Amino acid sequence: MAMRIALIGCGAIGRVIAEAISSGVVDASLECIYDLNTESTQRLASSLEPRPRICQTFEDILGSKADLVVEAASQAAVKAYAEKVLGAGKSLMIMSVGALLEDELFRNLRATAKKKKVKVYVPSGAVGGLDALKSASIGKVYEVKLITTKHPRSLKGAPALEGLEGLDWDKKMVLYEGNAREAVKKFPANVNVSAAIALAGVGADKTTVKIVSDPGIKENIHEVYVRGDFGACTFRFKNLPSPDNPRTSLLAALSAIATLKRLSSSVEVGT
Ligand SMILES: NC(=O)c1ccc[n+]([C@@H]2O[C@H](COP(=O)([O-])OP(=O)(O)OC[C@H]3O[C@@H](n4cnc5c(N)ncnc54)[C@H](O)[C@@H]3O)[C@@H](O)[C@H]2O)c1
């Protein structure tokens, strides 16, 4: 039987995923959808054929027939729902991966998933090359560095910038330099990629992150530098923002779809 999916979060990423399922790009059925914002849920449901069931509460998701729940909402959603989803015997795909850099939460999710014989999936998101980083990290890795450069409109509103006055957004400037653990707290909607890179590589404390605001660009640029016993590699992504959310790269939504295709397919390509 085809995989049955429930979706939490009907924003930019959720919509693209839902459309891929209902149009048959992914061999699965979209059982039900949920969002705190009921207008978003209604709008998405009415644009899909077949129309998924709308969940009025998160608990409706737990009671659904879905085998896999896709989170495309927020770090807060992961903290509030992830363990309950796994506890209900459903696998979980997480887009707000920054939440997983909280060690206690991650440990609990791992333990519950193991106990219930279900899985947590973290798509590569807005970057690629995680296969090489995972392979490299089997050996010794000395450095993993991410430099993310975005247009100011993609960065404004981040908690790290609250109360900061006098920033000259017309100039290119470095907004953050530190590790991935802190970066996902200070810029929760902007550097989920740093979390995926940290989990695939050397962890939240050793992965270094620099966030740059540049009014002269329209893309979200992610540059990843890795150095280890294997040698060195560099990845550079020049992503176009999603039309519905400038903070989100379209590639992140496509990566979620690619993961769902892999899970629902009988052939797997690549590591
Ligand atoms: N992994 C990656 O590389 C990557 C890349 C981009 C975005 N993201 C993350 O994916 C998530 C979704 O991104 P998006 O661009 O679709 O965001 P969006 O703001 O367009 O949509 C998010 C939707 O989730 C809903 N929501 C938020 N918290 C909720 C909760 N607790 N319960 C139910 N619904 C809730 C909102 O109402 C909104 O409709 C964000 O957390 C974003 O930071 C990850």
Side-chain angles (χ1 to χ4, degrees):
M1 193 202 299
M3 188 166 64
R4 292 171 295 204
I5 296 176
L7 175 67
I8 300 177
C10 301
I13 293 184
R15 166 169 291 278
V16 177
I17 293 173
E19 286 170 352
I21 299 169
S22 59
S23 65
V25 171
V26 174
D27 182 19
S29 64
L30 185 59
E31 284 289 301
C32 52
I33 61 177
Y34 173 64
D35 196 298
L36 283 181
N37 180 339
T38 47
E39 260 176 46
S40 301
T41 332
Q42 294 284 357
R43 210 176 318 119
L44 180 59
S46 58
S47 70
L48 297 172
E49 188 53 53
R51 201 184 151 112
R53 185 164 66 80
I54 292 177
C55 293
Q56 301 301 333
T57 64
F58 161 68
E59 282 68 30
D60 288 350
I61 294 259
L62 298 181
S64 75
K65 289 194 181 120
D67 321 292
L68 172 74
V69 176
V70 174
E71 175 282 322
S74 59
Q75 288 193 29
V78 177
K79 288 172 196 166
Y81 312 140
E83 200 167 352
K84 292 180 183 160
V85 168
L86 298 170
K90 300 178 189 307
S91 288
L92 176 64
M93 192 170 99
I94 294 179
M95 293 309 292
S96 307
V97 48
L100 298 182
L101 297 196
E102 284 199 10
D103 293 341
E104 193 184 345
L105 175 75
F106 193 38
R107 250 194 322 272
N108 291 343
L109 297 187
R110 224 190 247 270
T112 309
K114 192 169 179 193
K115 190 166 138 205
K116 290 289 180 177
K117 296 190 172 54
V118 290
K119 288 210 171 199
V120 175
Y121 299 102
V122 178
S124 299
V127 290
L130 298 191
D131 53 345
L133 178 55
K134 282 192 287 186
S135 306
S137 302
I138 305 282
K140 223 168 174 40
V141 169
Y142 310 118
E143 182 186 29
V144 180
K145 183 166 76 182
L146 166 72
I147 303 177
T148 289
T149 308
K150 293 188 174 184
H151 189 278
R153 79 175 148 264
S154 304
L155 294 160
K156 282 181 183 172
L161 307 174
E162 265 168 35
L164 277 187
E165 279 170 27
L167 289 180
D168 185 354
W169 291 100
D170 292 332
K171 282 201 182 130
K172 185 172 177 177
M173 60 184 159
V174 176
L175 289 179
Y176 174 80
E177 268 187 291
N179 63 25
R181 190 181 300 283
E182 222 191 310
V184 298
K185 289 192 189 132
K186 296 193 164 186
F187 294 85
N190 297 104
V191 284
N192 279 288
V193 290
S194 72
I197 290 168
L199 293 173
V202 292
D205 299 314
K206 291 190 193 144
T207 303
T208 62
V209 180
K210 184 165 160 179
I211 301 174
V212 181
S213 169
D214 183 352
I217 56 165
K218 62 175 189 301
E219 300 90 356
N220 296 331
I221 300 175
H222 300 291
E223 293 159 280
V224 186
Y225 301 90
V226 185
R227 217 165 36 81
D229 276 349
F230 73 99
C233 60
T234 306
F235 314 118
R236 187 167 194 272
F237 298 87
K238 216 172 154 187
N239 294 335
L240 289 175
S242 146
D244 296 330
N245 182 349
R247 286 184 293 274
T248 287
S249 300
L250 178 60
L251 186 65
L254 300 180
S255 136
I257 296 168
T259 301
L260 293 176
K261 277 191 81 161
R262 178 170 64 78
L263 297 180
S264 58
S265 164
S266 42
V267 178
E268 276 194 31
V269 179
T271 40

